[in-house]
Amino acid sequence: PFWLKPASVPIFALAQCLALGQKAELAAMEALAFIPDYPALGYVLLGVGLLGTPSLLRALWLAGGPLRSKMSVFHGLGLTVTIAALTLKKGNSLFVWHVIAMSLGVLVFQPAALHSILARHSFKDPETRKARVMDHKLLQMAVMGSVAVGFLAIFLNKPAGFPGRHFMSVHSLVGLFALALMGWNILDAGYRQGSPFAPKLLWVSWLHRSMGTLAFTFALLAVMLGFFNRTAIVDWAAEPIVFSLPDTWHEMDGWAKNMHGENATWMFIGATVLLLANMLVPGGARVVPRWRGDLVDKKTS
């Protein structure tokens, strides 16, 4: 055959390599398109992971910061992995990635960001403090990217039209308020740091810290409400708009119960409450002396 002739071997080998490359490319694209219907959301989520994971690993590994806030990062990571694994086991859908992306942002990246900013109190030298603040900054960017993917996943999962079937439940309204606070704080931090090319990293703001605490609290409250039920309190399609509280507002009836059962749902809610409590009262940050790596008992505010 012609392909056995010496002159044809390189051409045949090149054709085979190109064919294999095309197959590999198709396989890679299929693997990356893990979010149904809107694979671009998956690409964004992967980018968010690449942005936030190095700072997340530093928050988990490096010394400094309150012990309870560090344990909360492990706690949130374990809870998110559990929720994602159990939920994907029941099937993949666009709604599932609302749950996973929001969990990643609120239960993993956000506790890590708060721990990183608290950890700056453990160090005296400016460069190390700046490094912890930079981790906080990158992790907050990862938070915004994750929750943006989660928001779009649930928004696109519902029928078209605005407000239509959107923002009708307590869960969605509380979550929307948390997103607004996060957006405000990102803009506030951008203003306070000055030039993005030479940012001022060591600054203190009571307002920024208070808004961040509120954003985190309302975000976790939205998570708990999402676990519990989907009580609709507003009908945007009615004229005039109707606000009401149904008789079943106190009954558990949400995706978590329907997918994982009541006991598992209560476990998810309890784990979220514990995470919130530990992050709101993290304790003092132990000082890490510059001349040695062990920790001393001195506390800082």
Side-chain angles (χ1 to χ4, degrees), residues 228-292:
F228 189 72
N229 66 22
R230 49 192 173 192
T231 300
I233 61 170
V234 57
D235 184 359
W236 300 109
E239 294 184 3
I241 297 171
V242 175
F243 292 88
S244 62
L245 185 65
D247 295 335
T248 58
W249 66 268
H250 61 284
E251 298 177 4
M252 181 180 288
D253 183 25
W255 71 271
K257 178 187 175 183
N258 296 333
M259 187 171 289
H260 303 301
E262 187 171 340
N263 291 336
T265 302
W266 279 120
M267 289 178 62
F268 295 157
I269 293 173
T272 306
V273 170
L274 180 60
L275 175 63
L276 178 60
N278 282 329
M279 289 302 302
L280 289 180
V281 190
R286 293 171 292 176
V287 174
V288 180
R290 187 173 184 177
W291 60 89
R292 58 193 179 96

Side-chain angles (χ1 to χ4, degrees), residues 112-249:
L114 297 178
H115 173 73
S116 295
I117 200 65
L118 291 172
R120 80 189 190 279
H121 293 300
S122 294
F123 304 94
K124 296 297 184 182
D125 59 297
E127 292 307 314
T128 306
R129 290 166 65 89
K130 286 180 181 179
R132 298 289 79 76
V133 176
M134 180 58 73
D135 282 337
H136 171 77
K137 177 180 176 179
L138 294 174
L139 284 164
Q140 284 297 142
M141 292 169 65
V143 170
M144 291 304 297
S146 297
V147 299
V149 170
F151 174 84
L152 289 173
I154 193 63
F155 191 88
L156 296 170
N157 190 57
K158 292 184 177 182
F162 181 84
R165 304 294 296 175
H166 306 285
F167 314 120
M168 299 177 65
S169 68
V170 181
H171 160 67
S172 61
L173 293 173
V174 172
L176 189 63
F177 183 62
L179 290 180
L181 289 174
M182 290 181 193
W184 160 264
N185 244 21
I186 286 286
L187 293 175
D188 177 62
Y191 172 76
R192 293 178 187 276
Q193 76 168 12
S195 170
F197 302 104
K200 177 185 176 183
L201 296 176
L202 298 181
W203 50 268
V204 178
S205 168
W206 177 87
L207 177 62
H208 183 80
R209 182 173 182 174
S210 299
M211 291 297 102
T213 301
L214 280 176
F216 180 64
T217 302
F218 276 96
L220 287 193
L221 179 59
V223 169
M224 289 182 271
L225 288 168
F227 286 143
F228 189 72
N229 66 22
R230 49 192 173 192
T231 300
I233 61 170
V234 57
D235 184 359
W236 300 109
E239 294 184 3
I241 297 171
V242 175
F243 292 88
S244 62
L245 185 65
D247 295 335
T248 58
W249 66 268

